[in-house]
Amino acid sequence: MATEQQEHLKIEQLRHQSADELEHIEGRERENLEGWIPALATGAEIREALEKAFDYRGDVTITKKDGSQIVGYLFDRRTGSSLSDSFVRLIPSNAPTKVNVAYSDIAALAFTGRDTAAGKTFEAWVRKYWEKKAAGEQNIQIVPEKLD
């Protein structure tokens, strides 16, 4: 109940801020998760690791309890009351079909792909723009890097 009240308070505070103030609100800190292999000893650790995997913008490798592995992009998760009725949804890197995996079937998780969003904040984009402008460049275009 306390977290629900805290969330309501945050929303009320945001309603009373101007557009300029809202434009500069701090975002959530992004962790560098590339290469991380979390311990999945408890249900809470599994849920926390899969939440981070959902926010991750690279491929993850899920090792199932039967020994099979799925490498792909985790694009959705459905949390239920237990691990057996909670699922992640992935797009495997080697197949166009989507795959559902129950939390209870996951033995290991690894953040194996490059995080394509690392260092790609709006502030970094603006900083690059102003650096180019200060150097006297004309017709400045900052284009995204090509993905692998």
Side-chain angles (χ1 to χ4, degrees):
M1 187 72 167
T3 54
E4 191 174 309
Q5 290 173 342
Q6 290 170 340
E7 189 66 29
H8 179 70
L9 181 61
K10 285 180 191 177
I11 291 169
E12 284 301 313
Q13 289 171 340
L14 291 176
R15 282 189 185 146
H16 300 291
Q17 292 182 323
S18 70
D20 287 336
E21 291 171 325
L22 288 172
E23 185 174 317
H24 298 286
I25 286 178
E26 286 186 35
R28 195 174 65 174
E29 278 297 313
R30 292 195 66 87
E31 296 177 66
N32 181 6
L33 298 172
E34 276 183 41
W36 182 49
I37 301 173
L40 302 179
T42 67
E45 288 172 337
I46 292 169
R47 289 179 187 277
E48 181 181 348
L50 291 171
E51 278 301 309
K52 289 181 181 187
F54 173 71
D55 288 336
Y56 190 64
R57 297 297 175 243
D59 282 352
V60 297
T61 299
I62 290 179
T63 303
K64 295 172 64 176
K65 290 182 178 174
D66 66 7
S68 63
Q69 288 189 330
I70 303 168
V71 177
Y73 178 70
L74 193 153
F75 71 94
D76 190 18
R77 79 278 191 232
R78 308 273 166 94
T79 56
S81 58
S82 69
L83 296 180
S84 59
D85 66 352
S86 299
F87 295 87
V88 291
R89 297 173 64 203
L90 295 102
I91 301 172
S93 57
N94 61 356
T97 58
K98 297 172 185 168
V99 176
N100 291 338
V101 180
Y103 285 24
S104 60
D105 290 339
I106 298 173
L109 171 69
F111 293 75
T112 51
R114 184 174 67 93
D115 185 353
T116 58
K120 308 283 189 300
T121 64
F122 179 71
E123 290 79 14
W125 183 88
V126 170
R127 185 173 43 255
K128 286 180 188 176
Y129 172 85
W130 286 111
E131 287 171 358
K132 288 182 177 191
K133 188 164 180 92
E137 289 187 39
Q138 300 292 321
N139 298 322
I140 303 168
Q141 292 182 343
I142 300 177
V143 295
E145 68 180 62
K146 294 185 185 279
L147 299 176
D148 297 331

